[in-house]
Amino acid sequence: CRLVMLYNHGGYYFDTDIAPLAALPRLLDPRATFVTVRTSERSLSGGGFFQAFLAATPKHPVIRRSLTNFKAWYDKYWTPGEDQNDFRMKTAHGNIGCALLERSFQEWSVSRSKSPLLVHRSGHVSQFFDEWQFNVQGSDITPKQPDEFSLSLCDWGAVDSRTRTMVVISRVYSRLDGWLCKTSSWLGLGLV
């Protein structure tokens, strides 16, 4: 599991449908010990934390807490008589990993700031990118205005809000629709 690997070894985790862009290493704060993406309330996930891209130092307390919360969640999920589908949907509409990661961060951090960079009393530094949907036209990729966001799984990315620079394309393939997203063509990954 991604969390076990990150907890034991630290490093970066990317889902297979994530495309990191050249700007990512340049915009990662060298002090950051935990990095993820805050999802848009207008995306299909409905807000929260993103689990498709994570970075952490070894033995990070948020990752440890998330592992603990996952175990507790699964212990309840597998309880005899538990309506598993209902229980799953009650946890962030089925986005279990995202919900438990965000809960773990909130339990650990005393800060409720929405700042892209948080320096904690413990000395840890958390960095957040923000999920955003994009228009893709030819070789140009530009952010949509929030009122233009669609319910499509395609053409979402993560932006450094300090510079408005896209750092990852978060979905290059729509598993629900079974097609490559326009961003795949923009990246040279295939024809749409």
Side-chain angles (χ1 to χ4, degrees), residues 42-179:
R42 293 179 181 237
S43 73
L44 290 179
S45 63
F49 279 17
F50 196 66
Q51 215 185 221
F53 162 63
L54 291 168
T57 54
K59 311 295 186 222
H60 196 283
V62 170
I63 304 299
R64 180 179 60 235
R65 189 173 296 254
S66 193
L67 286 165
T68 300
N69 284 338
F70 255 102
K71 177 166 182 337
W73 189 89
Y74 274 108
D75 285 348
K76 180 152 176 54
Y77 181 79
W78 292 112
T79 300
E82 180 68 46
D83 181 338
Q84 293 176 335
N85 189 51
D86 183 57
F87 182 63
R88 181 179 173 78
M89 294 312 292
K90 284 180 180 175
T91 307
H93 307 290
N95 292 316
I96 311 308
C98 298
L100 294 179
L101 181 65
E102 182 179 29
R103 180 186 309 161
S104 299
F105 182 84
Q106 290 171 347
E107 289 171 357
W108 171 75
S109 175
V110 296
S111 175
R112 296 296 175 251
S113 171
K114 295 295 183 188
S115 172
L117 201 63
L118 298 175
V119 179
H120 304 277
R121 287 185 222 159
S122 63
H124 285 282
V125 176
S126 299
Q127 183 175 6
F128 297 97
F129 296 111
D130 294 306
E131 186 179 42
W132 211 262
Q133 198 171 33
F134 290 85
N135 286 312
V136 180
Q137 296 174 346
S139 63
D140 292 329
I141 188 162
T142 56
K144 289 183 176 183
Q145 295 301 317
D147 61 349
E148 298 176 307
F149 286 5
S150 73
L151 293 179
S152 168
L153 286 178
C154 285
D155 306 327
W156 286 89
V159 171
D160 181 320
S161 63
R162 299 168 300 173
T163 62
R164 296 206 28 94
T165 303
M166 190 164 65
V167 296
V168 300
I169 293 175
S170 56
R171 291 176 191 89
V172 296
Y173 179 80
S174 172
R175 63 180 164 72
L176 294 179
D177 301 315
W179 65 56

Side-chain angles (χ1 to χ4, degrees), residues 6-60:
L6 282 172
Y7 183 72
N8 287 329
H9 304 286
Y12 302 92
Y13 171 83
F14 298 94
D15 272 1
T16 58
D17 64 345
I18 296 285
L21 301 177
L24 179 62
R26 178 173 46 84
L27 293 172
L28 283 170
D29 190 290
R31 301 170 297 161
T33 61
F34 175 78
V35 182
T36 193
V37 177
R38 285 184 287 228
T39 64
S40 167
E41 291 181 7
R42 293 179 181 237
S43 73
L44 290 179
S45 63
F49 279 17
F50 196 66
Q51 215 185 221
F53 162 63
L54 291 168
T57 54
K59 311 295 186 222
H60 196 283

